[in-house]
């Protein structure tokens, strides 16, 4: 696990802090970590963005691939355009589930807001995700 994270140029000190936040990552295999990295590469994250996301939000590494894929698919379906930039700006979005995004959007639509306006607001104000 540590070797794979070091390949992302994450320092030993940062890896230690990541383990403090999410002790389960010590048990992850190299393959499990590489799968999470590959998910981020599929949405056009570069190595710097991947390093920022993983080191800032180690809980991402402990999520199921299925849940992360569903989240990304849902966000893509509703119109989020630059997920790599979005996740780099707020890596904790990756801790959400697809249904949480869907429910949040539906609630705002009940108030008469248009989907594209909601998505634009969420993309331009990353703190909105803390309301979810």
């Amino acid at each position: 696990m540590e070797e794979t994270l070091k390949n992302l140029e994450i320092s030993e000190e940062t890896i230690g802090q990541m383990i403090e936040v999410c002790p389960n990552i010590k048990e992850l295999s190299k393959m499990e970590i590489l799968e999470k990295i590959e998910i981020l590469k599929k949405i056009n994250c570069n190595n710097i963005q991947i390093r920022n996301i993983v080191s800032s939000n180690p809980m991402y590494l402990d999520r199921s691939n299925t849940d992360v894929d569903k989240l990304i698919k849902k966000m893509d379906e509703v119109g989020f355009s630059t997920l790599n930039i979005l996740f780099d700006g707020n890596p904790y979005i990756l801790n959400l589930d697809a249904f949480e995004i869907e429910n949040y959007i539906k609630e705002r639509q009940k108030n008469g807001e248009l989907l594209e306006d909601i998505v634009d607001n969420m993309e331009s104000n990353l703190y909105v995700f803390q309301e979810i």
Side-chain angles (χ1 to χ4, degrees):
M1 178 274 307
E2 286 192 38
E3 177 186 329
T4 309
L5 294 176
K6 286 180 185 175
N7 288 341
L8 289 173
E9 298 181 15
I10 298 175
S11 70
E12 284 188 41
E13 180 182 346
T14 300
I15 292 170
Q17 293 168 345
M18 291 169 64
I19 292 170
E20 283 181 34
V21 171
C22 186
N24 292 346
I25 65 172
K26 289 189 303 189
E27 311 304 321
L28 298 176
S29 70
K30 178 179 181 177
M31 181 59 108
E32 289 171 310
I33 292 173
L34 290 175
E35 287 171 352
K36 290 297 187 312
I37 291 169
E38 193 57 37
I39 289 171
L40 294 175
K41 286 183 178 181
K42 285 180 185 177
I43 59 166
N44 297 319
C45 286
N46 62 36
N47 288 341
I48 293 170
Q49 290 170 324
I50 292 169
R51 182 178 60 234
N52 290 344
I53 291 166
V54 170
S55 62
S56 298
N57 181 16
M59 287 89 61
Y60 163 69
L61 296 173
D62 197 33
R63 295 213 58 206
S64 82
N65 291 348
T66 304
D67 288 347
V68 174
D69 286 336
K70 285 179 183 177
L71 173 68
I72 290 171
K73 182 179 178 189
K74 175 54 67 182
M75 293 182 78
D76 191 45
E77 284 174 4
V78 298
F80 288 93
S81 56
T82 51
L83 292 177
N84 59 331
I85 295 169
L86 193 68
F87 295 152
D88 188 31
N90 185 348
Y92 297 101
I93 296 169
L94 285 160
N95 296 348
L96 297 171
D97 288 315
F99 75 87
E100 292 176 297
I101 297 291
E102 186 174 3
N103 290 346
Y104 179 79
I105 290 172
K106 283 181 181 178
E107 283 300 312
R108 288 186 59 177
Q109 286 178 314
K110 284 180 186 177
N111 294 327
E113 292 183 70
L114 298 174
L115 176 61
E116 57 195 42
D117 292 339
I118 297 167
V119 171
D120 285 346
N121 175 253
M122 293 172 78
E123 282 185 321
S124 63
N125 183 3
L126 298 179
Y127 294 107
V128 169
F129 287 94
Q130 293 174 340
E131 296 177 11
I132 300 175

